[in-house]
Amino acid sequence: MFNLKLSSGYEMPFIGLGTWQLEGKKCREIVAKAIEIGYKHIDTAEIYDNQKEIGKAIKGKREKLFITSKVWFEHLHYQDVLEACEQTLKELKTDYLDLYLIHWPNRSVAIEETIKAMKKLLDDGLIRNIGVSNFTINHLKDALKTKVKIVANQVEFHPYLYQEKLLEFCRKNGIAVIAYSPLGRGNILKDDVLVRIARKHNKTAAQVCLRWLYQKGIAAIPKSSSVERLKENIDIFDFSLDQKDVKEIDGLNRNIRFVNPVFSDFDY
Ligand SMILES: NC(=O)c1ccc[n+]([C@@H]2O[C@H](COP(=O)([O-])OP(=O)(O)OC[C@H]3O[C@@H](n4cnc5c(N)ncnc54)[C@H](OP(=O)(O)O)[C@@H]3O)[C@@H](O)[C@H]2O)c1
């Protein structure tokens, strides 16, 4: 598995396992299976209600894994962040997180207060990297004013939502982009262009989406509840999209979001 070097010096596997909507026994089985077939990066969040199951699945294998979790947007006051992290560590049965993200921006809490708590967790060794999620360029500018290193921004990113300006801003500021819903939640995989390019390389449309991200230096966390598709989604390192393919896929952008809850703040 190929790694992306974070600005902190830590390495994060390019492909991780998304676990939103994987719950209970199924979640435990899929995470265990994913680790068996080579996934080393697992993405969860306190809100997914699956951390205890993931804790069971990673037992005895923690050291070789990169685990990301996220603090919910209603828990961004100083003490709440510390408590949320403590609860997450307890559920995952681990001493530390590789990456801890502010799940959604919430401008009713000063970003300085939240970041101060994240820094405390970092200094105490409970988390190895601080990141954010669903942050726009303006949210990032506010966060960067604190001078605390933000290593990643996890955002929706796929051929129908090619966030070029955000990507450029992140690159310039040493912030890795992690693509969530990298397959457009499964909704874009019948696209004619993706299917044609996939055929040309003897791959699938899902693999083309993930390879397109990889070639842009973007990590991705596809979710699957099928072992076959789990295998498919990490099997993207043996082919290459040529410039023409990349240009065509870039041109598919429609600024479509498949994840846009009422509390999102994308207009900021
Ligand atoms: N930070 C945030 O706010 C945020 C928001 C959304 C998601 N996320 C994270 O990102 C992860 C991934 O995003 P997502 O779950 O929204 O969407 P996704 O990974 O883009 O797509 C998942 C969907 O695609 C299907 N699928 C997976 N692999 C496939 C393949 N090779 N061929 C065909 N279909 C395939 C899955 O079905 P099967 O399960 O049947 O395979 C599922 O329906 C989440 O699980 C979560 O960890 C974070």
Side-chain angles (χ1 to χ4, degrees):
M1 174 72 73
F2 290 74
N3 291 331
L4 194 163
K5 195 160 186 164
L6 301 172
S7 57
S8 58
Y10 281 104
E11 300 208 347
M12 174 177 73
F14 260 104
I15 299 288
L17 174 69
T19 67
W20 181 28
Q21 294 173 332
L22 278 175
E23 285 164 30
K25 187 164 162 259
K26 179 76 183 172
C27 175
R28 195 169 73 233
E29 285 169 1
I30 283 292
V31 173
K33 198 71 202 175
I35 295 169
E36 209 179 292
I37 65 182
Y39 283 77
K40 292 191 163 62
H41 171 181
I42 317 284
D43 181 82
T44 183
E46 59 169 311
I47 202 73
Y48 296 172
D49 202 18
N50 62 15
Q51 295 186 136
K52 279 190 189 153
E53 296 300 328
I54 294 177
K56 287 178 197 155
I58 64 175
K59 199 169 168 224
K61 300 160 195 144
R62 173 66 185 100
E63 299 74 53
K64 62 173 187 180
L65 300 174
F66 185 102
I67 311 272
T68 300
S69 189
K70 318 182 190 85
V71 55
W72 190 234
F73 81 101
E74 289 166 312
H75 299 160
L76 298 187
H77 283 296
Y78 186 83
Q79 199 55 34
D80 295 341
V81 174
L82 302 188
E83 282 169 19
C85 184
E86 189 186 340
Q87 182 63 23
T88 280
L89 292 173
K90 205 163 122 194
E91 289 181 8
L92 287 167
K93 288 202 170 62
T94 180
D95 299 335
Y96 70 96
L97 295 172
D98 294 279
L99 178 60
Y100 199 38
L101 308 177
I102 300 172
H103 203 148
W104 290 87
N106 176 356
R107 283 185 289 143
S108 71
V109 180
I111 187 73
E112 293 79 9
E113 180 179 347
T114 308
I115 298 272
K116 194 173 165 202
M118 300 290 271
K119 180 72 166 56
K120 161 93 174 133
L121 294 170
L122 189 86
D123 292 343
D124 289 350
L126 300 183
I127 65 175
R128 291 190 167 171
N129 290 286
I130 297 170
V132 295
S133 176
N134 295 299
F135 273 39
T136 63
I137 291 177
N138 283 330
H139 295 120
L140 289 172
K141 282 182 180 165
D142 293 344
L144 290 171
K145 281 186 199 141
T146 64
K147 305 278 180 219
V148 172
K149 201 182 273 296
I150 308 289
V151 308
N153 187 17
Q154 185 184 114
V155 294
E156 182 172 348
F157 210 117
H158 46 70
Y160 283 14
L161 185 65
Y162 177 23
Q163 305 201 58
E164 218 176 343
K165 284 198 183 119
L166 179 64
L167 176 62
E168 196 47 42
F169 181 87
C170 287
R171 273 191 190 134
K172 279 196 184 127
N173 287 282
I175 300 169
V177 173
I178 303 170
Y180 78 64
S181 308
L183 312 175
R185 313 215 73 217
N187 295 311
I188 64 173
L189 303 176
K190 290 198 165 70
D191 180 279
D192 290 345
V193 172
L194 295 177
V195 170
R196 174 168 43 76
I197 293 174
R199 271 204 205 109
K200 172 174 140 187
H201 293 282
N202 211 6
K203 289 282 175 181
T204 65
Q207 289 170 320
V208 167
C209 290
L210 297 169
R211 182 73 201 188
W212 175 74
L213 291 164
Y214 171 68
Q215 289 185 204
K216 294 188 185 299
I218 302 173
I221 46 170
K223 170 256 168 189
S224 182
S225 47
S226 125
V227 174
E228 275 324 297
R229 290 190 285 278
L230 284 178
K231 286 184 187 159
E232 188 180 314
N233 295 345
I234 51 167
D235 183 20
I236 62 152
F237 299 107
D238 63 349
F239 79 111
S240 192
L241 299 169
D242 59 40
Q243 270 184 353
K244 191 168 160 274
D245 299 333
V246 171
K247 228 174 164 188
E248 262 194 283
I249 302 168
D250 289 354
L252 294 177
N253 183 36
R254 292 160 198 201
N255 294 320
I256 290 181
R257 288 185 189 277
F258 296 107
V259 179
N260 197 355
V262 284
F263 52 80
S264 72
D265 195 18
F266 294 125
D267 293 333
Y268 177 55

